[in-house]
Amino acid sequence: MIVVNTEYIPGMVVVDVKGLVQGNTVRAKHVGRDIAAGLKNIFGGELRGYTELLIESRREAVTRMIAQAQQLGADAILNVRFATSSITSGAAELYVYGTAVSLAPVAGEQSIEAEPV
Amino acid sequence: MQDFFFLIFSVGIPIVLLMAGLVIGRFIESSHFSRLAVREAELQDVLVANIKRLPENWDAGGAVLVTGEAVIATDYFKVWVAGLRNLFGGRVRGYETLVERARREAIVRMTEQAQAQGCNLVWNVRLETSTIGGQEKRKAGGVEVIAYGTAMVATDTQ
Protein backbone atom coordinates (compact mmCIF):
# COMPACT_ATOMS: atom_id res chain seq x y z
CA MET A 1 0.00 0.00 0.00
CA ILE A 2 1.43 3.35 -1.07
CA VAL A 3 0.34 6.15 1.28
CA VAL A 4 1.22 9.71 0.24
CA ASN A 5 -0.16 13.17 0.85
CA THR A 6 0.33 14.35 -2.72
CA GLU A 7 -2.32 14.59 -5.43
CA TYR A 8 -0.42 12.32 -7.81
CA ILE A 9 2.62 10.05 -7.85
CA PRO A 10 5.23 10.73 -10.53
CA GLY A 11 5.43 7.87 -13.03
CA MET A 12 2.01 6.46 -12.08
CA VAL A 13 -1.51 7.10 -13.32
CA VAL A 14 -4.75 6.67 -11.39
CA VAL A 15 -6.86 4.01 -13.09
CA ASP A 16 -9.68 3.79 -10.56
CA VAL A 17 -10.87 5.98 -7.67
CA LYS A 18 -12.29 3.86 -4.86
CA GLY A 19 -13.39 6.70 -2.58
CA LEU A 20 -12.67 8.37 0.73
CA VAL A 21 -11.01 6.32 3.46
CA GLN A 22 -10.50 7.52 7.00
CA GLY A 23 -9.19 6.57 10.40
CA ASN A 24 -9.37 8.24 13.77
CA THR A 25 -8.26 7.83 17.36
CA VAL A 26 -9.30 9.71 20.46
CA ARG A 27 -6.58 9.96 23.05
CA ALA A 28 -7.08 11.01 26.65
CA LYS A 29 -4.59 12.42 29.05
CA HIS A 30 -3.06 9.98 31.47
CA VAL A 31 -2.70 10.76 35.18
CA GLY A 32 0.99 9.86 35.32
CA ARG A 33 1.69 11.85 32.21
CA ASP A 34 -0.27 14.80 33.56
CA ILE A 35 1.82 14.98 36.72
CA ALA A 36 4.98 15.01 34.61
CA ALA A 37 3.37 17.60 32.32
CA GLY A 38 2.52 19.78 35.33
CA LEU A 39 6.19 19.80 36.34
CA LYS A 40 7.26 20.50 32.76
CA ASN A 41 4.94 23.49 32.72
CA ILE A 42 7.13 25.20 35.30
CA PHE A 43 10.38 24.81 33.37
CA GLY A 44 9.21 24.36 29.79
CA GLY A 45 10.62 21.77 27.40
CA GLU A 46 9.31 18.87 25.43
CA LEU A 47 6.42 16.82 26.81
CA ARG A 48 7.83 13.45 25.73
CA GLY A 49 4.90 11.45 27.09
CA TYR A 50 2.50 13.47 24.97
CA THR A 51 4.73 13.22 21.90
CA GLU A 52 4.76 9.42 22.24
CA LEU A 53 0.99 9.43 22.69
CA LEU A 54 0.64 11.51 19.54
CA ILE A 55 2.92 9.15 17.56
CA GLU A 56 0.98 6.08 18.77
CA SER A 57 -2.38 7.59 17.89
CA ARG A 58 -1.14 8.73 14.48
CA ARG A 59 0.06 5.17 13.74
CA GLU A 60 -3.23 3.70 14.90
CA ALA A 61 -5.29 6.14 12.78
CA VAL A 62 -3.18 5.48 9.66
CA THR A 63 -3.48 1.70 10.24
CA ARG A 64 -7.27 2.00 10.39
CA MET A 65 -7.30 4.07 7.21
CA ILE A 66 -5.11 1.51 5.39
CA ALA A 67 -7.39 -1.33 6.54
CA GLN A 68 -10.34 0.48 4.95
CA ALA A 69 -8.43 0.99 1.71
CA GLN A 70 -7.50 -2.71 1.61
CA GLN A 71 -11.17 -3.64 2.00
CA LEU A 72 -11.94 -1.50 -1.05
CA GLY A 73 -9.22 -3.29 -3.02
CA ALA A 74 -7.16 -0.13 -3.49
CA ASP A 75 -3.38 -0.17 -3.84
CA ALA A 76 -2.63 3.44 -2.86
CA ILE A 77 -4.03 6.29 -0.78
CA LEU A 78 -3.49 9.77 -2.21
CA ASN A 79 -3.89 13.26 -0.77
CA VAL A 80 -3.73 12.15 2.88
CA ARG A 81 -4.52 14.87 5.43
CA PHE A 82 -4.26 14.94 9.21
CA ALA A 83 -6.60 16.93 11.40
CA THR A 84 -6.70 17.31 15.17
CA SER A 85 -9.57 18.51 17.31
CA SER A 86 -10.13 18.63 21.04
CA ILE A 87 -13.34 17.03 22.20
CA THR A 88 -13.18 17.98 25.86
CA SER A 89 -10.31 19.53 27.79
CA GLY A 90 -9.15 16.01 28.65
CA ALA A 91 -9.33 14.31 25.27
CA ALA A 92 -8.15 15.04 21.75
CA GLU A 93 -8.96 13.44 18.44
CA LEU A 94 -6.56 12.70 15.62
CA TYR A 95 -8.27 12.20 12.29
CA VAL A 96 -6.63 11.08 9.06
CA TYR A 97 -8.31 10.83 5.68
CA GLY A 98 -7.37 10.31 2.06
CA THR A 99 -8.59 8.96 -1.27
CA ALA A 100 -8.12 5.27 -2.03
CA VAL A 101 -7.16 4.64 -5.65
CA SER A 102 -5.78 1.99 -7.97
CA LEU A 103 -2.59 2.89 -9.78
CA ALA A 104 -0.82 1.72 -12.93
CA PRO A 105 2.58 2.72 -14.27
CA VAL A 106 2.56 5.33 -17.05
CA ALA A 107 2.76 3.52 -20.43
CA GLY A 108 6.26 3.54 -21.85
CA GLU A 109 7.71 5.04 -18.67
CA GLN A 110 11.38 4.22 -18.18
CA SER A 111 13.50 5.36 -15.31
CA ILE A 112 16.37 7.43 -16.58
CA GLU A 113 19.68 7.32 -14.79
CA ALA A 114 20.80 10.85 -14.04
CA GLU A 115 22.59 13.04 -11.52
CA PRO A 116 20.90 13.48 -8.13
CA VAL A 117 19.19 16.81 -7.56
CA MET B 1 2.74 34.98 62.97
CA GLN B 2 0.38 32.79 60.96
CA ASP B 3 -0.31 35.71 58.64
CA PHE B 4 3.40 36.15 58.07
CA PHE B 5 3.84 32.53 57.03
CA PHE B 6 0.79 32.75 54.84
CA LEU B 7 2.27 35.82 53.13
CA ILE B 8 5.62 34.08 52.56
CA PHE B 9 3.77 31.07 51.20
CA SER B 10 1.43 32.91 48.87
CA VAL B 11 4.00 35.35 47.51
CA GLY B 12 7.16 33.26 47.81
CA ILE B 13 6.07 30.20 45.86
CA PRO B 14 4.91 32.06 42.74
CA ILE B 15 8.13 34.09 42.77
CA VAL B 16 10.25 30.94 43.04
CA LEU B 17 8.27 29.36 40.20
CA LEU B 18 8.65 32.51 38.09
CA MET B 19 12.41 32.56 38.65
CA ALA B 20 12.64 28.84 37.86
CA GLY B 21 10.63 29.36 34.68
CA LEU B 22 12.73 32.34 33.66
CA VAL B 23 16.18 30.82 34.32
CA ILE B 24 15.68 27.10 33.61
CA GLY B 25 13.08 27.72 30.90
CA ARG B 26 15.41 30.07 29.05
CA PHE B 27 18.28 27.59 29.37
CA ILE B 28 16.16 24.71 28.01
CA GLU B 29 14.95 26.89 25.16
CA SER B 30 18.37 28.10 24.07
CA SER B 31 19.85 24.58 24.23
CA HIS B 32 16.92 23.31 22.18
CA PHE B 33 17.53 25.98 19.54
CA SER B 34 21.22 25.14 19.31
CA ARG B 35 20.44 21.40 19.00
CA LEU B 36 17.91 22.20 16.27
CA ALA B 37 20.51 24.21 14.33
CA VAL B 38 22.95 21.27 14.42
CA ARG B 39 20.33 18.75 13.30
CA GLU B 40 19.09 21.05 10.52
CA ALA B 41 22.66 21.40 9.24
CA GLU B 42 22.94 17.60 9.07
CA LEU B 43 19.76 17.42 7.00
CA GLN B 44 20.83 19.91 4.35
CA ASP B 45 21.02 17.31 1.58
CA VAL B 46 17.29 16.60 1.92
CA LEU B 47 15.16 19.13 0.05
CA VAL B 48 11.98 20.08 1.94
CA ALA B 49 9.27 21.90 -0.01
CA ASN B 50 5.53 22.40 0.18
CA ILE B 51 5.02 22.43 -3.59
CA LYS B 52 2.12 20.38 -4.97
CA ARG B 53 3.76 19.48 -8.28
CA LEU B 54 7.31 18.42 -9.05
CA PRO B 55 9.15 20.12 -11.94
CA GLU B 56 8.61 18.24 -15.23
CA ASN B 57 12.26 17.34 -15.69
CA TRP B 58 12.61 15.59 -12.31
CA ASP B 59 12.50 11.84 -12.16
CA ALA B 60 11.25 10.70 -8.77
CA GLY B 61 10.41 7.29 -7.34
CA GLY B 62 9.57 5.42 -4.16
CA ALA B 63 6.89 7.66 -2.65
CA VAL B 64 6.38 7.23 1.09
CA LEU B 65 4.55 9.27 3.73
CA VAL B 66 6.83 10.67 6.43
CA THR B 67 5.63 12.36 9.61
CA GLY B 68 7.17 14.21 12.54
CA GLU B 69 5.50 15.04 15.84
CA ALA B 70 6.49 17.33 18.69
CA VAL B 71 4.73 18.54 21.84
CA ILE B 72 6.45 21.45 23.58
CA ALA B 73 5.30 22.84 26.94
CA THR B 74 5.18 26.45 28.01
CA ASP B 75 6.93 27.48 31.20
CA TYR B 76 5.53 29.32 34.21
CA PHE B 77 7.26 32.57 33.33
CA LYS B 78 5.91 32.63 29.76
CA VAL B 79 2.36 32.03 30.96
CA TRP B 80 2.69 34.89 33.42
CA VAL B 81 4.12 37.31 30.82
CA ALA B 82 1.43 36.28 28.33
CA GLY B 83 -1.19 36.98 31.00
CA LEU B 84 0.21 40.50 31.41
CA ARG B 85 0.30 40.93 27.62
CA ASN B 86 -3.38 40.13 27.50
CA LEU B 87 -4.03 43.33 29.41
CA PHE B 88 -2.13 45.62 27.06
CA GLY B 89 -2.02 43.70 23.79
CA GLY B 90 0.99 43.35 21.53
CA ARG B 91 3.44 40.67 20.57
CA VAL B 92 3.89 37.72 22.89
CA ARG B 93 7.48 36.85 22.09
CA GLY B 94 7.63 33.93 24.50
CA TYR B 95 4.86 32.14 22.65
CA GLU B 96 6.37 32.97 19.24
CA THR B 97 9.55 31.08 20.11
CA LEU B 98 7.48 28.26 21.65
CA VAL B 99 5.55 27.64 18.43
CA GLU B 100 8.72 28.03 16.37
CA ARG B 101 10.44 25.34 18.46
CA ALA B 102 7.55 22.92 18.06
CA ARG B 103 7.33 23.48 14.28
CA ARG B 104 11.06 23.18 13.67
CA GLU B 105 11.30 20.08 15.85
CA ALA B 106 8.44 18.41 13.97
CA ILE B 107 9.95 19.30 10.56
CA VAL B 108 13.39 18.03 11.64
CA ARG B 109 11.91 14.71 12.84
CA MET B 110 10.02 14.32 9.58
CA THR B 111 13.13 15.06 7.52
CA GLU B 112 15.21 12.66 9.64
CA GLN B 113 12.69 9.93 8.86
CA ALA B 114 13.02 10.70 5.13
CA GLN B 115 16.82 10.65 5.35
CA ALA B 116 16.79 7.33 7.23
CA GLN B 117 14.88 5.84 4.30
CA GLY B 118 17.42 7.12 1.80
CA CYS B 119 15.23 9.88 0.36
CA ASN B 120 16.56 13.27 -0.77
CA LEU B 121 13.25 15.09 -1.23
CA VAL B 122 10.17 15.75 0.92
CA TRP B 123 7.46 17.56 -0.99
CA ASN B 124 3.89 18.71 -0.33
CA VAL B 125 4.75 19.32 3.34
CA ARG B 126 1.78 20.20 5.55
CA LEU B 127 1.76 21.31 9.17
CA GLU B 128 -1.02 20.75 11.65
CA THR B 129 -0.88 22.67 14.94
CA SER B 130 -3.04 22.43 18.02
CA THR B 131 -2.81 23.19 21.72
CA ILE B 132 -3.16 20.78 24.61
CA GLY B 133 -4.40 21.46 28.11
CA GLY B 134 -4.54 25.20 27.55
CA GLN B 135 -8.29 25.51 27.64
CA GLU B 136 -8.56 25.82 31.39
CA LYS B 137 -8.05 29.38 32.44
CA ARG B 138 -4.68 30.28 33.91
CA LYS B 139 -3.46 26.75 33.31
CA ALA B 140 -0.35 26.26 31.31
CA GLY B 141 -0.41 24.04 28.29
CA GLY B 142 1.65 23.16 25.30
CA VAL B 143 1.72 23.20 21.55
CA GLU B 144 1.56 20.03 19.49
CA VAL B 145 2.61 20.00 15.86
CA ILE B 146 2.39 17.25 13.24
CA ALA B 147 4.47 17.78 10.10
CA TYR B 148 3.91 15.43 7.18
CA GLY B 149 4.95 15.16 3.58
CA THR B 150 5.83 12.76 0.79
CA ALA B 151 9.43 11.56 0.73
CA MET B 152 10.98 10.46 -2.56
CA VAL B 153 14.28 9.80 -4.24
CA ALA B 154 14.50 12.49 -6.90
CA THR B 155 16.93 12.93 -9.76
CA ASP B 156 17.23 15.78 -12.24
CA THR B 157 17.08 14.40 -15.78
CA GLN B 158 18.50 17.52 -17.40
Side-chain angles (χ1 to χ4, degrees):
Chain A
M1 180 73 65
I2 304 170
V3 182
V4 292
N5 75 328
T6 51
E7 287 168 17
Y8 71 106
I9 298 175
M12 306 281 250
V13 283
V14 175
V15 288
D16 191 13
V17 178
K18 306 281 187 187
L20 186 75
V21 285
Q22 53 202 321
N24 73 339
T25 45
V26 177
R27 63 214 139 94
K29 289 194 233 166
H30 173 283
V31 182
R33 275 171 180 149
D34 253 2
I35 292 167
L39 281 177
K40 267 283 160 69
N41 271 327
I42 297 169
F43 307 121
E46 179 168 11
L47 298 169
R48 276 176 213 286
Y50 282 115
T51 306
E52 275 158 31
L53 189 63
L54 185 57
I55 292 172
E56 278 163 33
S57 48
R58 189 255 306 154
R59 277 203 193 120
E60 181 62 39
V62 171
T63 309
R64 287 180 191 173
M65 179 179 71
I66 290 174
Q68 265 190 25
Q70 276 167 343
Q71 268 194 345
L72 292 171
D75 50 27
I77 305 170
L78 300 185
N79 217 6
V80 169
R81 293 285 179 272
F82 288 96
T84 51
S85 53
S86 50
I87 293 172
T88 62
S89 64
E93 187 201 20
L94 183 77
Y95 178 57
V96 59
Y97 56 103
T99 302
V101 296
S102 288
L103 293 174
V106 172
E109 176 79 16
Q110 274 177 4
S111 74
I112 306 151
E113 291 300 318
E115 289 293 304
V117 174
Chain B
M1 198 63 190
Q2 231 177 5
D3 281 356
F4 176 72
F5 276 118
F6 181 73
L7 191 73
I8 292 287
F9 222 70
S10 56
V11 176
I13 285 181
I15 286 178
V16 168
L17 289 179
L18 274 180
M19 293 307 288
L22 178 63
V23 176
I24 303 173
R26 188 157 289 182
F27 171 74
I28 290 175
E29 183 163 276
S30 62
S31 66
H32 189 202
F33 271 127
S34 53
R35 262 181 291 131
L36 275 176
V38 171
R39 286 160 74 197
E40 279 168 350
E42 280 168 7
L43 294 167
Q44 266 188 342
D45 53 329
V46 182
L47 181 66
V48 179
N50 72 338
I51 48 169
K52 278 179 143 185
R53 271 190 180 270
L54 288 183
E56 295 279 301
N57 57 327
W58 285 14
D59 190 48
V64 64
L65 187 76
V66 284
T67 54
E69 292 89 353
V71 184
I72 310 286
T74 55
D75 60 55
Y76 200 84
F77 183 73
K78 281 182 178 179
V79 175
W80 186 72
V81 170
L84 273 186
R85 267 284 177 222
N86 267 337
L87 292 178
F88 307 112
R91 280 176 71 178
V92 188
R93 266 167 239 256
Y95 281 176
E96 285 174 5
T97 54
L98 180 78
V99 182
E100 187 194 339
R101 275 165 72 194
R103 293 230 168 89
R104 278 171 69 182
E105 181 68 42
I107 291 172
V108 163
R109 284 182 184 167
M110 175 193 74
T111 318
E112 279 172 350
Q113 225 183 75
Q115 197 184 42
Q117 298 187 37
C119 297
N120 65 349
L121 167 72
V122 186
W123 59 302
N124 205 21
V125 172
R126 294 284 181 274
L127 289 163
E128 178 72 30
T129 312
S130 65
T131 54
I132 55 160
Q135 281 96 348
E136 296 108 291
K137 231 183 176 169
R138 298 293 302 158
K139 207 188 159 212
V143 187
E144 61 167 46
V145 176
I146 307 178
Y148 58 106
T150 300
M152 286 189 118
V153 185
T155 48
D156 196 341
T157 53
Q158 273 188 344

